[in-house]
Amino acid sequence: MEIHVKRVYEKISKNDGVRILADGLWPRGISKSQAGIDLWLKDWAPSGELRKWFHADKEKNYKKFSAKYKKELAAKQAAISRELRKHKTSITLVTAVKDVEKSHIPVLISFLKGITV
């Protein structure tokens, strides 16, 4: 299975496969029809507490955030595996974060690639 990433504000493509919103909060300024989201899996996003802690100082907290987020994902691995089995084609993780590289997205991708479906 291929995993792609797009910001929610980017153009929707037929090659996106299943579009999964990977954020815990709905993106500001965009309607559901504009976003073209197939699934909104809030459980795949960091917990609200972890997200708030991370945003307090992103540069300082990123390494610890990644480890804590991996633990949150590991606790949900069975449910995440079941969801992935439903989607044999490519998926596109959709996010509103500005700095995708320093967000939960790389951690999530790494975790998803490590799951055997």
Side-chain angles (χ1 to χ4, degrees):
M1 171 187 336
E2 292 181 43
I3 301 173
H4 306 279
V5 177
K6 275 191 173 178
R7 291 198 66 230
V8 71
Y9 309 103
E10 292 179 54
K11 187 177 177 181
I12 299 168
S13 167
K14 64 180 179 179
N15 297 326
D16 287 347
V18 177
R19 290 174 54 89
I20 300 173
L21 180 60
D23 295 345
L25 304 173
W26 188 263
R28 291 181 187 220
I30 193 157
S31 69
K32 291 184 180 185
S33 62
Q34 289 173 315
I37 301 299
D38 297 308
L39 295 169
W40 183 11
L41 299 174
K42 296 178 192 177
D43 288 347
W44 289 20
S47 65
E49 181 180 316
L50 182 57
R51 179 181 50 81
K52 289 175 188 174
W53 172 80
F54 173 56
H55 284 282
D57 189 346
K58 290 182 182 183
E59 291 301 318
K60 178 182 171 189
N61 295 336
Y62 189 74
K63 195 170 186 176
K64 287 182 183 178
F65 163 78
S66 296
K68 290 179 180 193
Y69 181 40
K70 284 178 190 176
K71 285 182 183 178
E72 286 187 355
L73 290 169
K76 305 170 192 174
Q77 184 168 345
I80 293 171
S81 292
R82 281 192 301 275
E83 189 61 44
L84 283 179
R85 277 189 223 108
K86 296 177 188 177
H87 311 291
K88 302 291 183 196
T89 63
S90 65
I91 63 170
T92 297
L93 298 176
V94 180
T95 184
V97 297
K98 291 179 183 175
D99 185 1
V100 174
E101 294 302 315
K102 286 285 188 174
S103 73
H104 66 290
I105 297 297
V107 179
L108 178 57
I109 290 170
S110 174
F111 183 82
L112 295 176
K113 286 183 176 180
I115 293 177
T116 307
V117 290

